[in-house]
């Protein structure tokens, strides 16, 4: 009995041990499956985040502006800094296509106000517009707000700055946004090898530029100030330009009026953006409901793309000797057509223009 009991105990003990082993094996097996599932989920999530990061990589922008010949450029640079603040834009340079005496200082005022005082600034050295703008807001800004660059002589030559910036960027990575004349683009295209790159200007553009987004032209045909002001340069650019282009034509910005909510916002003080609209809007009856917002739409599309506010009509611009333009279908250029009511775009831009610098 004792032996049988002992053997029975052993059998019971071994059976219990075997049951425990089976239980532990099953536990670890299930745990292993769970761990694999967790690792798989982590991998999928990581890939998703990586893909999202790739999709939201900041747009590298060179901003080319006739700052002060009109003041929608001010709304445009405010939007550009807003997108930089939220991580959607990387501002490589702010370059003037006009050269009135205060233009470099004005660009420096805005870059300093938005906490980016070291953004490179370029000014043309060749023949171009020297119009300071009839509203005379630029003198107020230079007198009132801090700025690192004091005179045009402190800024870099526009074409040299273009070449310096483009030469250091990854291939097909740069978006050029022009909201002024084609002075600099034409001169860049004609430029030759220098200390920054062995490539010609056209070769640099072909290698480094992803696309050009321009507030210029009337579509499908017409005449517009930014195109016809330096007509010979405009003609040259669009005779030789090969990279993709998106045009925000006169007819787009003419339907979008902005600035009134900004100047009526008492919470915003000591803002050069607000001061420009506050000074300028009362000076023209046509601005009673806000300034027409040509340049802001170019920045918006340059950073966000056309959707959801616009559709793209693809083809190619034809620029005549006087820089009036027409259009033919078939090509890698496009002009904007409203996909949603202009009033929605107006509200959207008005809200963005009230963005304040990050502390």
């Amino acid at each position: 009995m004792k032996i049988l009991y002992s053997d029975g105990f052993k059998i019971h003990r071994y059976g219990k041990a075997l049951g425990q082993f089976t239980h532990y094996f099953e536990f670890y097996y299930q745990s292993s499956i769970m761990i694999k599932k967790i690792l798989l989920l982590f991998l999928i999530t990581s890939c998703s985040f990586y893909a999202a990061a790739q999709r939201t990589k900041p747009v590298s922008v060179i901003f080319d502006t006739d700052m002060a010949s009109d003041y929608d450029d001010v709304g445009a640079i405010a939007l550009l800094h807003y997108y930089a603040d939220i991580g959607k834009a990387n501002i490589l340079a702010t370059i003037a296509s006009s050269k009135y005496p205060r233009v470099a200082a004005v660009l420096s005022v805005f870059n300093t106000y938005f906490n980016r005082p070291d953004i490179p600034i370029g000014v043309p050295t060749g023949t171009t517009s020297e119009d300071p703008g009839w509203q005379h807001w630029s003198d107020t800004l230079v007198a009132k707000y801090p700025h690192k660059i004091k005179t045009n002589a402190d800024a870099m030559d526009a074409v040299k700055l273009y070449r310096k910036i483009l030469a250091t960027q990854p291939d097909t990575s740069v978006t050029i946004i022009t909201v002024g004349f084609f002075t600099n683009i034409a001169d860049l295209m004609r430029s030759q090898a220098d200390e920054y790159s062995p490539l010609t200007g056209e070769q640099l553009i072909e290698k480094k530029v992803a696309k050009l987004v321009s507030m210029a032209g009337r579509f499908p045909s017409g005449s517009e100030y930014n195109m016809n002001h330096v007509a010979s340069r405009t003609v040259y650019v669009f005779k030789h330009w090969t990279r993709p282009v998106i045009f925000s034509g006169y007819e787009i910005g003419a339907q979008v009026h902005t600035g009134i909510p900004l100047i009526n916002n008492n919470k915003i003080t000591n803002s050069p953006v607000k001061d420009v609209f506050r000074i300028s809007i009362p000076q023209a009856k046509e601005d009673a409901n806000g300034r027409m917002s040509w340049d802001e739409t170019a920045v918006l599309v340059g950073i966000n793309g056309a959707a959801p506010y616009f559709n793209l009509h693809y083809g190619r611009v034809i620029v005549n000797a006087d820089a009036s333009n027409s259009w033919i279908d078939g090509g890698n250029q496009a002009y904007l057509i409203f996909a949603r009511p202009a009033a929605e775009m107006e509200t959207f831009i008005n809200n963005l223009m009230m963005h304040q610098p990050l502390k």
Side-chain angles (χ1 to χ4, degrees):
M1 294 290 296
K2 194 173 184 180
I3 296 173
L4 287 175
Y5 175 80
S6 176
D7 289 341
F9 177 77
K10 289 176 182 177
I11 292 169
H12 172 75
R13 185 176 61 186
Y14 294 152
K16 185 176 181 182
L18 182 60
Q20 288 176 335
F21 173 81
T22 303
H23 172 74
Y24 291 140
F25 176 81
E26 185 178 4
F27 172 79
Y28 285 120
Y29 176 78
Q30 294 296 335
S31 298
S32 176
I33 292 175
M34 186 176 294
I35 290 168
K36 287 178 181 177
K37 287 181 178 179
I38 291 170
L39 289 173
L40 181 60
L41 181 60
F42 175 79
L43 181 61
I44 292 171
T45 305
S46 298
C47 290
S48 298
F49 278 123
Y50 177 76
Q54 292 297 99
R55 287 194 300 271
T56 59
K57 184 178 180 181
V59 178
S60 293
V61 174
I62 296 176
F63 181 64
D64 193 319
T65 170
D66 62 332
M67 185 71 69
S69 62
D70 199 350
Y71 62 98
D72 54 331
D73 302 70
V74 173
I77 201 169
L79 261 64
L80 187 61
H81 279 283
Y82 162 77
Y83 283 119
D85 282 347
I86 65 170
K88 294 191 73 171
N90 174 29
I91 308 172
L92 300 175
T94 50
I95 301 181
S97 60
S98 57
K99 63 173 188 178
Y100 69 94
R102 290 184 295 276
V103 68
V106 165
L107 286 171
S108 187
V109 163
F110 289 112
N111 292 342
T112 302
Y113 174 70
F114 284 104
N115 298 316
R116 295 181 180 86
D118 296 323
I119 290 176
I121 292 173
V123 176
T125 53
T127 303
T128 190
S129 171
E130 298 185 28
D131 180 10
W134 61 270
Q135 300 96 345
H136 296 288
W137 50 262
S138 64
D139 45 356
T140 298
L141 262 60
V142 171
K144 182 176 179 180
Y145 293 97
H147 48 286
K148 184 176 180 179
I149 292 181
K150 305 300 182 183
T151 70
N152 290 355
D154 298 329
M156 196 168 178
D157 171 77
V159 172
K160 284 190 173 294
L161 181 54
Y162 259 110
R163 292 184 60 86
K164 180 180 180 180
I165 295 294
L166 289 175
T168 62
Q169 298 306 303
D171 291 353
T172 61
S173 68
V174 177
T175 294
I176 298 175
I177 300 177
T178 67
V179 295
F181 318 128
F182 290 97
T183 304
N184 298 323
I185 302 298
D187 292 349
L188 170 63
M189 293 176 76
R190 291 185 174 113
S191 67
Q192 299 301 309
D194 60 6
E195 65 270 36
Y196 302 115
S197 173
L199 302 178
T200 67
E202 290 191 21
Q203 289 169 338
L204 257 181
I205 290 167
E206 188 68 27
K207 185 176 178 64
K208 300 295 184 177
V209 173
K211 64 180 177 292
L212 172 69
V213 180
S214 287
M215 189 283 114
R218 289 188 190 227
F219 297 96
S221 63
S223 182
E224 181 273 326
Y225 178 68
N226 284 347
M227 275 201 173
N228 61 38
H229 188 69
V230 283
S232 62
R233 284 183 167 103
T234 306
V235 170
Y236 182 87
V237 168
F238 292 105
K239 184 177 179 181
H240 297 91
W241 187 273
T242 58
R243 302 300 297 152
V245 184
I246 298 175
F247 293 102
S248 181
Y250 177 93
E251 68 283 355
I252 296 296
Q255 300 180 61
V256 180
H257 299 81
T258 59
I260 298 296
L262 172 64
I263 65 175
N264 288 336
N265 189 335
N266 294 326
K267 294 180 180 179
I268 298 176
T269 58
N270 295 317
S271 161
V273 181
K274 180 177 180 177
D275 278 351
V276 171
F277 282 83
R278 176 184 58 79
I279 291 167
S280 301
I281 282 178
Q283 296 189 53
K285 289 182 179 179
E286 66 179 14
D287 293 350
N289 296 318
R291 185 57 184 154
M292 287 177 276
S293 301
W294 297 287
D295 296 352
E296 292 93 334
T297 60
V299 170
L300 187 70
V301 171
I303 304 302
N304 281 337
Y309 296 102
F310 302 105
N311 292 321
L312 295 174
H313 184 103
Y314 281 93
R316 183 167 60 88
V317 72
I318 302 297
V319 181
N320 303 310
D322 63 354
S324 62
N325 67 273
S326 57
W327 190 261
I328 58 173
D329 291 339
N332 66 346
Q333 301 177 9
Y335 64 83
L336 300 179
I337 300 172
F338 275 108
R340 301 184 67 84
E344 291 187 20
M345 170 61 59
E346 185 170 292
T347 299
F348 187 65
I349 292 176
N350 268 315
N351 288 334
L352 296 192
M353 281 171 50
M354 289 187 280
H355 172 70
Q356 297 297 283
L358 297 179
K359 302 297 184 182

